[in-house]
Amino acid sequence: MPDDYYELLGVSRDADARTLKKAYRKQAMQYHPDRNPGDAEAEERFKAISEAYEVLSDDQKRQIYDRYGKKGLENQGFSGFSDIGDIFSQFGDLFGDLFGGFGGGGRRRVSRGADLRMHMELTLADCLTGIEREVDIPRTVDCDTCDGSGAAEGSEPTTCQTCGGQGQVAVNRGFITMRTACPRCRGEGRVVANPCGACRGTGGKQISDRVKVRIPAGIDHGMKLRVSGKGQRSSNPGGPPGDLYVVITVSDHPRFERHGTELLGEVEIDMVQACLGDEVEFETLDGTETLHIEPGTQPGTLVKLRGKGLPSVERGRARRGDMHLRVVVQIPTALDSERRALLEAFRDAGSH
Ligand SMILES: [Zn+2]
Ligand SMILES: [Zn+2]
């Protein structure tokens, strides 16, 4: 963890107030104790960045720090934060309603953005090797202008006065008191008095996002891949986006039928090859293999090509299933006179 306040926040030494706030918000979201329960390292970091922000966002303290460093601040009686609660009471507003209710009261739940779902069709060859494919996903992300807050430049959303930031209000229905979404802020817990012009206060924008989907070898029909964080944005500023789910369809192969990691197919030979045996070239999913046909091979015999099936997602590419080929013997449907005579001779020889 860097010792320097500017380095801690990842900003340059001449960063303005807006840049500082943005940098602090971003880091505070990442290291916030609510996001990292029980993680002492994250808590230390959260304290450190909060201290950095407290100093740099205060012109007087920043001047002292720039000239004399931390020693100078200590001489002025500044000691940073010892208690997380102090940070919340001082900077809680900066987090919008994401971690609302600091310093007492219930915390509002942070809602994730909605998940998205798409279908992807693959070939058997894709399943063999695994592939990477780029897809364009229409989804909402934070508005650049307001950084997702929905508030115009120079302003911040304010805590809704009607519900006190809870997003819910109590309504009396006869003798029952019910809690219902706050009508003023529609459950958001905050209101934007001065909406951002770019997003009209929604805080989001629609984009077509090019997403790289990594498909592992051995993927099978009906499997679902999750691309984390590529769903819709959360309506809570700083809240996590949803995920993208890619549902896999594997198109039928003209020659092979898949059963898990095993592939079933057929190999055609003629009756002479069946009788006398032969070496036959056979096209698998990944190259040509030589099949050894035994003399006297019967129709329907299964020939196994070891390791020429598919891998499984769990075991990886190294271990593959087998290919099982059923022998189909072709009987000629038309014979020229020469072959007919040969077969008749064969029959006559065999009948004695
Ligand atoms: Zn905006
Ligand atoms: Zn409200």
Side-chain angles (χ1 to χ4, degrees), residues 2-21:
D3 192 47
D4 179 72
Y5 288 154
Y6 292 98
E7 278 178 47
L8 255 175
L9 292 178
V11 297
S12 62
R13 302 197 82 81
D14 57 359
D16 60 12
R18 187 173 149 79
T19 310
L20 278 172
K21 188 188 275 186

Side-chain angles (χ1 to χ4, degrees), residues 181-201:
C182 170
R184 176 142 181 262
C185 63
R186 284 193 234 100
E188 296 277 301
R190 44 169 213 133
V191 284
V192 173
N194 189 8
C196 162
C199 61
R200 290 198 214 93

Side-chain angles (χ1 to χ4, degrees), residues 143-151 196-204:
C143 165
D144 303 320
T145 310
C146 63
D147 210 21
S149 75
C196 162
C199 61
R200 290 198 214 93
T202 62

Side-chain angles (χ1 to χ4, degrees), residues 8-268:
L8 255 175
L9 292 178
V11 297
S12 62
R13 302 197 82 81
D14 57 359
D16 60 12
R18 187 173 149 79
T19 310
L20 278 172
K21 188 188 275 186
K22 205 166 155 177
Y24 173 59
R25 260 178 84 131
K26 199 175 146 204
Q27 298 235 20
M29 297 299 177
Q30 186 180 344
Y31 295 108
H32 196 284
D34 277 6
R35 285 264 181 87
N36 306 277
D39 183 344
E41 221 168 283
E43 187 175 318
E44 280 311 304
R45 183 113 190 181
F46 183 67
K47 279 185 195 165
I49 55 173
S50 299
E51 181 183 312
Y53 180 67
E54 201 211 354
V55 170
L56 299 185
S57 62
D58 180 316
D59 285 344
Q60 210 181 337
K61 285 180 186 159
R62 185 170 176 177
Q63 272 178 24
I64 296 170
Y65 177 71
D66 284 348
R67 291 180 66 177
Y68 308 108
K70 286 186 184 172
K71 266 269 170 287
L73 290 166
E74 278 167 28
N75 293 341
Q76 299 283 319
F78 176 77
S79 60
F81 296 103
S82 55
D83 182 25
I84 289 268
D86 294 345
I87 301 170
F88 296 160
S89 56
Q90 190 154 347
F91 298 134
D93 290 351
L94 282 182
F95 308 124
D97 67 347
L98 172 54
F99 303 110
F102 287 130
R107 287 181 182 176
R108 267 168 40 74
R109 273 181 63 82
V110 178
S111 64
R112 276 175 74 247
D115 291 334
L116 290 173
R117 195 181 158 93
M118 66 163 291
H119 287 268
M120 185 181 282
E121 184 157 357
L122 302 176
T123 64
L124 262 191
D126 296 333
C127 301
L128 173 63
T129 54
I131 54 163
E132 243 180 42
R133 198 177 273 181
E134 287 188 329
V135 288
D136 291 318
I137 302 294
R139 67 188 198 97
T140 51
V141 293
D142 284 351
C143 165
D144 303 320
T145 310
C146 63
D147 210 21
S149 75
E153 190 151 6
S155 72
E156 287 282 327
T158 51
T159 303
C160 172
Q161 296 301 311
T162 308
C163 61
Q166 294 299 303
Q168 289 190 328
V169 288
V171 184
N172 289 312
R173 297 242 189 282
F175 53 89
I176 312 170
T177 302
M178 289 165 61
R179 295 194 72 77
T180 170
C182 170
R184 176 142 181 262
C185 63
R186 284 193 234 100
E188 296 277 301
R190 44 169 213 133
V191 284
V192 173
N194 189 8
C196 162
C199 61
R200 290 198 214 93
T202 62
K205 63 167 181 175
Q206 180 84 21
I207 59 160
S208 177
D209 197 3
R210 181 146 290 192
V211 175
K212 195 178 274 182
V213 183
R214 217 169 256 128
I215 295 129
I219 189 96
D220 207 345
H221 191 83
M223 283 181 177
K224 227 163 45 169
L225 293 172
R226 186 167 66 103
V227 188
S228 173
K230 290 297 182 183
Q232 306 285 35
R233 73 184 281 271
S234 165
S235 58
N236 298 122
D243 297 329
L244 169 67
Y245 284 93
V246 181
V247 184
I248 300 296
T249 308
V250 180
S251 50
D252 287 339
H253 192 275
R255 296 190 294 128
F256 301 120
E257 199 177 293
R258 178 182 187 174
H259 294 268
T261 61
E262 307 299 287
L263 288 176
L264 309 188
E266 288 182 344
V267 55
E268 290 187 352

